[in-house]
Amino acid sequence: MKAKVYVTLRKSVLDPQGKAVQHALETLGFGRSVKDVRIGKYIELELTGTDPAKAGEEVRVMCEKLLANTVIEDYRYEIVEPAREAAKAAR
Amino acid sequence: MKFGVVVFPGSNCDHDCWYALSGALGRPAEFIWHKDGDVSGYDCLVVPGGFSYGDYLRTGAIARFSPVMEGVRRHAEQGKLVIGICNGFQILLESGLLPGAMLRNDSLKFVCSYVTLRTETSATPFTRGIKKGELLRIPIAHGEGNYYADEATLAELEKNDQIVFRYADAAGRTTAEANPNGSLSNIAGICNKSRNVFGLMPHPERAIEASLGSADGRRVFESILAEAAR
């Protein structure tokens, strides 16, 4: 089982990296297509458990305590079970 | 007064701090390895600058879980002094000993230069010997010194007189131009509510002798020593 964790700066926090990339996209000609850019982190955890609900709760605590700094960052996560992942790949 | 300088893997201002205290000021100072949780023998702990744990995840985020930080927390709870400089400030923020967080500099660049600091309060053990409004020239060197706190926290800091230094121009005005990193309200250093924990991005230990370009950083350490003598 895997956890996919996404961490981004909170909406209320200015993201200078995102702004710089947005500016570069404008230069590339995508100014009309892109309204805003937020840069974040993607963290993948390989989990040992088999209970997705229990794993989800643990991952939430990991995010609160370490993976995100909730003063400046928002996080979200998905728990991915191997069977579903395989089925997705087969499709 | 005995100083302890905490050393994490990746600290790189630890020797400068040690030199400032023991060499320039002639006070007893020792290094404390981050795996050592016992800091009971020290009066003032210095959490120095550098790149603890390579700044992985976020600056200070991993150092915060080093065994020594439990000791630092207990030390602070007893009302003893803690000063966090640069990465040390970031670690104190991550550990919740000081409020707020650090963002990348708004320029996205690492900034290494002298700045002018305006002293915002003398009512801390770290600035007792510096007059309110007095300007100090002290260098900064960081990529993530853009201090952030939400509105309620900023109001709280203002109300409790917890803002210790602000970036200013040569005339002491806290303008946007004088702000090297985009810090909220030009904040360069803050203390906790009980005023015994202090964090700042500038490096007072690098401005300890005139031959280094400035001796203004000495004023901070001299304030600490004067406090101990009170």
Side-chain angles (χ1 to χ4, degrees), chain A residues 17 41 65-69, chain B residues 57-58 64-65 94 104:
Chain A
Q17 268 194 93
K41 291 174 199 142
K65 289 201 165 164
L66 175 64
L67 301 180
N69 179 339
Chain B
L57 194 61
R58 291 181 307 278
R64 173 202 161 180
F65 293 101
E94 280 284 343
R104 291 271 304 263

Side-chain angles (χ1 to χ4, degrees), chain B residues 39-213:
Chain B
V39 295
S40 54
Y42 304 95
D43 304 298
C44 178
L45 296 177
V46 183
V47 189
F51 298 85
S52 58
Y53 296 90
D55 276 353
Y56 296 158
L57 194 61
R58 291 181 307 278
T59 55
I62 301 185
R64 173 202 161 180
F65 293 101
S66 275
V68 75
M69 287 310 293
E70 201 33 58
V72 173
R73 180 179 298 280
R74 278 197 306 273
H75 178 93
E77 277 167 7
Q78 289 161 19
K80 295 203 246 177
L81 304 185
V82 179
I83 173 169
I85 301 166
C86 197
N87 187 225
F89 184 13
Q90 294 162 338
I91 295 168
L92 295 180
L93 291 170
E94 280 284 343
S95 65
L97 286 167
L98 290 172
M102 282 299 172
L103 297 166
R104 291 271 304 263
N105 292 349
D106 61 351
S107 63
L108 296 175
K109 287 182 188 143
F110 187 96
V111 182
C112 181
S113 68
Y114 267 92
V115 292
T116 302
L117 300 178
R118 190 177 77 189
T119 311
E120 302 294 301
T121 177
S122 297
T124 81
F126 312 93
T127 53
R128 198 85 70 196
I130 313 170
K131 279 197 222 71
K132 185 175 172 172
E134 224 179 309
L135 304 179
L136 304 182
R137 267 188 82 243
I138 292 183
I140 53 165
H142 59 248
E144 304 202 19
N146 181 352
Y147 179 79
Y148 175 86
D150 60 24
E151 270 178 47
T153 307
L154 178 64
E156 188 79 354
L157 289 173
E158 297 266 13
K159 192 183 90 189
N160 299 324
D161 193 27
Q162 286 173 255
I163 300 167
V164 180
F165 287 122
R166 278 195 165 96
Y167 300 109
D169 64 13
R173 288 170 305 207
T174 55
T175 58
E177 293 71 38
N179 188 338
N181 51 30
S183 269
L184 181 74
S185 189
N186 281 43
I187 288 173
I190 58 168
C191 67
N192 65 345
K193 229 171 168 175
S194 1
R195 316 191 83 71
N196 62 316
V197 179
F198 172 44
L200 76 169
M201 287 313 291
H203 288 272
E205 81 282 11
R206 293 190 189 176
I208 207 78
E209 287 166 336
S211 58
L212 292 171

